[in-house]
Amino acid sequence: MIARRLVHTSVLMGSVALILSACNEADQSFDPAQQIGADPVLPEPSSSLIPDLKVAEVVGWKDGETPTVPEGLKVTLYQKDLANPRTVHTLPNGDVLVVQSRGPKGQSPSRPKDIIRGWIMAISHGETRPQKESNLITLLRDTNRDGTVDERHDLLTKLDSPFGVAFADNTLYVATASEILAYPYQLGQNDITAEPKLLTPLPGGPINHHWTKDLALSPDGKFLYASVGSNSNIVENGMEAEKNRAAILQVDRQTGAFKLFASGLRNPNGLAFNPESKELWAVINERDELGPNLVPDYMTSVKENGFYGWPWSYYGNHVDARVYPPRPDIVATAIKPDYALSSHVAALGLTFTLNSAMPAAYANGAFIGEHGSWNRNAFNGYRVTYVPFENGKPSGKTQDVVTGFIQGDNARGRPVGVGIDGTGALLVADDAGNSVWRVAAADGTVTPAPIATDDVSGGGAQAMAAPAN
């Protein structure tokens, strides 16, 4: 059955490639770097019967292969043999949680294009081969803080497509495809057997187009912020299907009551509070089918009650004429994002570096995991980039930090979530490579104590960082 599906998929992709080969030649000269920063170049929209397409086949990493990092950094394999790792999260004691998941099953496509999209996504995620059981959370423990995992334990299994986690007051919060669950948990436990409490339901099926739900804990510990992506590209399933979607919800951690915190965000992920400004930030995947160079994905601070355009407009007040009826009154209120990342990079991870042990060149900024494009005629993304910050805002161009995921037309892996481990090094969840990579200062610098993902107190660990013995 798998072989037959591969043959059918190969024939389909070959046919699509032949059709596309004669199209969009002018787009090949467009430099995606023009779309990085506060004021991206936005070409005129374009459309075609068959959207732009270039899919990287996942081949995995051979023994001894690693991504590439700049001088001054060292990359090592932190953990292998995982099952679609999506996000990483460091607990106060330095233990690292790796959330592994695949999307909910049994969703019917709402339009013919969704069938093709499903095949494409299966190829781009490496899911055309036999797969290990996923939808679990694994704990990795580095007992002596030398950057090597000494213990591995499956903390929770058989979850409903988990993605975001947060920890506070001996409680582990897990955002699944349809709810936030609260599990009693003491630091140091190797498994969780207690039944969870349902904190709040989240928008889910029967259609759950963007199923990844991320979480962030507010600096004062009172609220959880949950990201909920849209249920379509541009409202093909009707506005009722978008209730409380394309949004970030603010959830009371005690009662579970939630409110719409910000809206018009097509597919927000990578929720993180900036340790310097204490503002909530996120990375956003923008809409498709306006051409290979629209619309730029972006990172932005998220304002309370802010509206960011979807579906009526993009990047501020640029109207999407496909959405009917038009709403110029709503478009007039749309907030322009802080920083564009260029089109279709599929940014899914974001972490700030202020309290890390990274070298001075990465001391105050944000790492971004770019999962990589499939809906362009040339690859974009497939890397971890760094954006320097100053006074709580982006202050320069992105820098490629972790590369080598794409090789020709093949993907050895695809970065998703990023985070800082218990020693102050960068961790990168690689869902297609089924691995987590660790990127550390080449001189062995570590923080004097673990800094939890949920801790944005700005304790100054960077200034105190010292070389390891």
Side-chain angles (χ1 to χ4, degrees), residues 168-304:
D169 298 332
N170 297 322
T171 304
L172 181 67
Y173 298 93
V174 179
T176 73
S178 59
E179 57 195 1
I180 300 176
L181 299 173
Y183 291 88
Y185 179 72
Q186 298 285 336
L187 293 176
Q189 279 183 244
N190 295 334
D191 61 359
I192 295 177
T193 57
E195 289 297 314
K197 171 188 173 184
L198 172 63
L199 181 65
T200 189
L202 296 173
I207 303 171
N208 204 353
H209 183 67
H210 290 121
W211 56 269
T212 53
K213 312 292 198 299
D214 206 2
L215 282 183
L217 179 72
S218 65
D220 62 10
K222 293 181 180 179
F223 301 103
L224 292 171
Y225 291 83
S227 65
V228 185
S230 68
N231 225 350
S232 61
N233 183 35
I234 47 160
V235 206
E236 294 90 347
N237 298 317
M239 284 303 298
E240 185 59 29
E242 304 296 346
K243 185 177 181 180
N244 291 325
R245 283 185 171 269
I248 293 174
L249 309 180
Q250 183 190 69
V251 183
D252 187 294
R253 198 164 61 81
Q254 300 302 319
T255 68
F258 70 82
K259 75 165 192 173
L260 201 66
F261 183 76
S263 61
L265 301 156
R266 179 178 173 270
N267 186 20
N269 280 286
L271 301 189
F273 279 89
N274 185 329
E276 187 173 20
S277 67
K278 304 301 187 289
E279 288 181 303
L280 179 64
W281 284 71
V283 288
I284 316 299
N285 285 201
E286 254 291 357
R287 68 203 72 198
D288 298 326
E289 300 176 22
L290 286 178
N293 300 307
L294 282 179
V295 171
D297 296 338
Y298 60 88
M299 65 181 296
T300 192
S301 58
V302 183
K303 311 299 183 187
E304 186 169 7

Side-chain angles (χ1 to χ4, degrees), residues 141-153:
R141 180 171 295 140
D142 175 6
T143 56
N144 57 359
R145 305 185 74 238
D146 66 350
T148 302
V149 174
D150 302 302
E151 299 179 27
R152 171 175 171 167
H153 306 279

